[in-house]
Amino acid sequence: MSLATRLPRLWHTVRHLRPVQIYGRAWHRLHRPRVAHAPAPQMAAFERGWIACAREASMLGPTRFRLLNDEHEIGANDWNSARLPKLWLYNLHYFDDLNACGAASREHWHRDLIARWIADNPPPAGNGWEPYCLSLRIVNWIKWRCGGQLFGDAARARAALDSLATQVRFLRGRLERHLLGNHLWANYKALLFAGAFFEGSEAVRWRELGLHGLRAQIGEQILADGGHFERSPMYHAILLEDLLDLVQLALVYPGAFPERDVQLWRDKARAMLSWLAVMTHPDGDIAFFNDAAHGIAPTLAQLQDYARALAIEPPPASREPLQLLPQSGYARLQCGEAVLICDVGEIGPDYLPGHAHADTLSFELSLRGRRVLVNAGISRYDIDPQRLWQRGTAAHNTVEIDGEDSSEVWSSFRVARRARPRAVAHGRDGEALWLSAAHDGYRRLKGRPLHRRRWVLTPRGLRIEDRIEGRFGEAVARLRVHPDFDADGHDIRCRDGEGDNELRLRWRSEAAGDALTPSRYHPGFGLSRACTVIETALDPRVGTATLVLDWGH
């Protein structure tokens, strides 16, 4: 890429940032807080034991872990090993297994692992001392201890508590104000946990800083419709679990937090549960918009169970056939046996689009509880051509014009010019539900094209109408068929259905041409499955295309 291309892209990326993200990055890189090895404050007495939200175990043996669908044995010097993926190592440092399903049976492994981490990871170097890793590990160690587990004999217990306090002190000087979003949220959550877990004036300062920071973040990050402002269903579920954790922390340490804060956490958690229900397919897992994958965050059902354990009754499922999340920019249409989830909103906050995809006006479809049409998902976070493709328009069920992305995603977490939604409208026409919207993401191209899309859902089928206003050379509308379905000619059939249980669709297009092409689907980190994509070309002379899916036969 030429300098003449790189500079405008960089400008359109940087111009949206807040000043703290620019000078804060330099400060974060240059400043190193002092490592304070003073003895830990006294532990505070807790009122009740910790109840963990359901999470799959990741520790398979004393030194063997399965993380991000990738299994490795960990040697003495592998906490920062160059032979292992960076994201995998981050997850190793989180210590999520301490609070996973069946953790009590692995308590002796956990005690040894904590002692080993302390010995192998002196401060402040290495992955484990990065603020996000610190934040998640601090919380996990405290949850584990509040669950009734012991660090070991007196010497081990003292070493663990002293290490925990050193980690909190170091985190206090490394808050990720330059990153903001879910990272800063996690930093403040860790300070709240530490501020409740320990006694004394130092702990009070941690707690007060965490409260002050989280109050501001809740007001900014949780939208009026209950969604997390980064518009990722996966991160939404992660932060929802965080709020529920804080509600439980207030139960474990009564009086540690003002009642108005605890009530706010409860209210926001209920709103976030409602949002997540809209963005969850009938199979119980999240839809793939922006960075989203299965197996990272708890499912809706797991979070509902966790909420009930904390005396928070999840809102009842809505029976409305059309549910719009206006601030988040998502819509859910339910008609007969079909569920359609559509993206008609912003890609995320302007200053924080790191988890955004070029997926404006994309959608996913479930029928009879099975996913039929899906976005490609994600399998990695590193700077890599595959990561770039997974964020790109071609990996989503929408229209790509002249080979360009609707939003200029680049690197691993960067976006330059981005699509803006327009003219969102919806309604009902007899038994049919309809939704329409446009976006201006391609107006930067020479012909200044504008993409408009309209969905019409009935009990028997789905009609997708695309129109491009303005000049363009080529445009392709894509529909990615879930790997559990075979696409042959104009038939789409579920592989495991027979007779009356057979799930079969027919599709047809009214466009310049169509084709079936091989592609990939990524349901989780490190996972890839073969699938088929229906590609429909739009004639530049006409600028319209209609694709119809029929399951009413």
Side-chain angles (χ1 to χ4, degrees):
M1 181 179 288
S2 68
L3 183 64
T5 302
R6 289 200 304 270
L7 285 178
R9 186 182 69 177
L10 183 61
W11 161 246
H12 285 294
T13 302
V14 172
R15 72 186 184 90
H16 296 285
L17 299 180
R18 293 180 171 179
V20 69
Q21 293 175 281
I22 299 172
Y23 70 72
R25 181 173 294 274
W27 172 259
H28 193 80
R29 179 169 295 184
L30 296 173
H31 172 68
R32 284 294 182 271
R34 180 177 61 88
V35 177
H37 288 291
Q42 185 72 25
M43 269 181 58
F46 50 88
E47 189 77 13
R48 51 182 270 182
W50 190 266
I51 302 169
C53 181
R55 180 182 298 277
E56 186 176 349
S58 56
M59 198 171 182
L60 308 180
T63 58
R64 190 162 192 83
F65 297 82
R66 182 170 179 79
L67 301 163
L68 304 177
N69 300 299
D70 192 11
E71 194 172 316
H72 293 283
E73 194 83 25
I74 298 301
N77 300 310
D78 282 341
W79 296 97
N80 301 289
S81 174
R83 73 178 179 85
L84 295 171
K86 190 81 165 177
L87 187 61
W88 195 94
L89 288 172
Y90 283 160
N91 278 263
L92 177 66
H93 283 274
Y94 296 163
F95 277 70
D96 282 340
D97 193 74
L98 267 63
N99 301 288
C101 296
S105 65
R106 301 186 295 280
E107 182 179 352
H108 57 299
W109 293 353
H110 294 156
R111 276 197 299 269
D112 290 345
L113 187 68
I114 290 170
R116 179 180 167 191
W117 186 92
I118 295 169
D120 293 349
N121 292 274
N127 298 318
W129 289 91
E130 293 188 24
Y132 193 70
C133 289
L134 281 167
S135 298
L136 271 61
R137 184 174 57 255
I138 288 165
V139 168
N140 276 323
W141 283 19
I142 290 173
K143 285 182 182 179
W144 183 80
R145 181 63 185 86
C146 289
Q149 284 70 35
L150 300 174
F151 291 115
D153 60 25
R156 271 196 173 188
R158 175 45 52 193
L161 291 173
D162 286 349
S163 172
L164 189 57
T166 299
Q167 293 174 55
V168 177
R169 293 172 186 134
F170 192 75
L171 173 65
R172 168 65 184 84
R174 297 286 284 164
L175 300 179
E176 294 172 285
R177 294 190 176 98
H178 64 299
L179 292 181
L180 304 172
N182 67 83
H183 276 246
L184 186 57
W185 173 292
N187 301 162
Y188 287 136
K189 177 189 175 184
L191 291 177
L192 287 171
F193 264 73
F197 182 74
F198 289 111
E199 289 183 335
S201 58
E202 188 178 27
V204 169
R205 290 194 297 273
W206 294 337
R207 190 164 70 239
E208 289 177 347
L209 177 58
L211 268 175
H212 178 76
L214 197 71
R215 284 168 183 160
Q217 293 307 307
I218 286 177
E220 182 171 10
Q221 294 198 36
I222 308 304
L223 303 174
D225 59 17
H228 182 245
F229 76 158
E230 293 190 61
R231 273 80 163 183
S232 156
M234 181 177 77
Y235 282 96
H236 175 98
I238 290 171
L239 269 73
L240 171 53
E241 183 184 9
D242 288 341
L243 272 186
L244 293 172
D245 282 347
L246 291 174
V247 170
Q248 182 172 186
L249 189 66
L251 296 173
V252 172
Y253 294 99
F257 307 104
E259 184 54 38
R260 66 184 181 93
D261 288 289
V262 179
Q263 189 57 51
L264 177 65
W265 301 339
R266 288 178 171 274
D267 293 342
K268 292 296 185 181
R270 279 180 55 85
M272 293 182 78
L273 284 165
S274 287
W275 189 97
L276 189 59
V278 175
M279 299 301 294
T280 295
H281 278 279
D283 64 8
D285 275 314
I286 55 173
F288 285 172
F289 295 98
N290 291 321
D291 278 343
H294 296 155
I296 301 297
T299 65
L300 173 63
Q302 289 169 335
L303 289 164
Q304 288 173 330
D305 288 344
Y306 187 28
R308 291 188 187 99
L310 304 176
I312 298 174
E313 186 58 35
S318 174
R319 296 185 178 182
E320 288 296 320
L322 196 154
Q323 300 173 67
L324 187 66
L325 300 169
Q327 287 76 35
S328 302
Y330 292 113
R332 179 189 183 99
L333 287 68
Q334 300 180 100
C335 195
E337 298 176 305
V339 171
L340 186 70
I341 305 176
C342 306
D343 181 353
V344 291
E346 304 279 355
I347 61 170
D350 270 340
Y351 68 88
L352 198 67
H355 293 294
H357 289 198
D359 59 0
T360 310
L361 303 192
S362 67
F363 70 97
E364 295 196 328
L365 173 70
S366 279
L367 188 61
R368 297 183 196 168
R370 303 290 297 269
R371 295 181 194 225
V372 180
L373 300 179
V374 290
N375 292 316
I378 56 169
S379 64
R380 59 198 310 154
Y381 269 177
D382 51 341
I383 299 176
D384 176 271
Q386 191 176 45
R387 164 69 174 164
L388 191 61
W389 176 82
Q390 289 170 7
R391 297 182 73 205
T393 300
H396 299 86
N397 295 327
T398 187
V399 173
E400 179 189 53
I401 299 179
D402 291 338
E404 297 286 340
D405 292 321
S406 57
S407 292
E408 287 183 290
V409 294
W410 63 281
S411 189
S412 192
F413 299 100
R414 303 285 181 262
V415 184
R417 288 171 288 187
R418 62 282 313 258
R420 306 284 185 186
R422 297 183 177 186
V424 178
H426 57 87
R428 188 165 192 165
D429 186 6
E431 63 179 4
L433 303 171
W434 63 268
L435 173 71
S436 64
H439 78 80
D440 63 1
Y442 294 115
R443 299 287 278 179
R444 68 182 189 273
L445 303 183
K446 187 175 181 180
R448 295 185 58 78
L450 180 79
H451 176 209
R452 295 187 185 275
R453 170 166 276 188
R454 177 182 169 91
W455 297 266
V456 181
L457 181 66
T458 73
R460 293 173 298 282
L462 172 66
R463 182 181 179 90
I464 308 148
E465 303 167 356
D466 288 305
R467 183 168 86 252
I468 299 174
E469 299 173 0
R471 292 179 292 108
F472 63 96
E474 59 180 17
V476 180
R478 293 183 176 88
L479 298 182
R480 188 172 308 275
V481 180
H482 191 278
D484 287 348
F485 287 78
D486 285 321
D488 182 15
H490 287 264
D491 278 330
I492 301 173
R493 297 188 183 189
C494 185
R495 291 174 179 166
D496 58 5
E498 295 181 0
D500 293 339
N501 294 322
E502 182 183 37
L503 181 51
R504 176 187 170 198
L505 301 82
R506 293 277 298 172
W507 67 273
R508 68 180 188 277
S509 69
E510 303 166 10
D514 49 63
L516 299 177
T517 62
S519 190
R520 308 298 297 181
Y521 173 63
H522 304 279
F525 280 90
L527 301 180
S528 180
R529 297 180 64 188
C531 68
T532 301
V533 175
I534 301 170
E535 294 190 347
T536 301
L538 283 76
D539 188 336
R541 297 168 298 179
V542 179
T544 62
T546 299
L547 191 141
V548 178
L549 289 161
D550 176 25
W551 52 81
H553 56 275

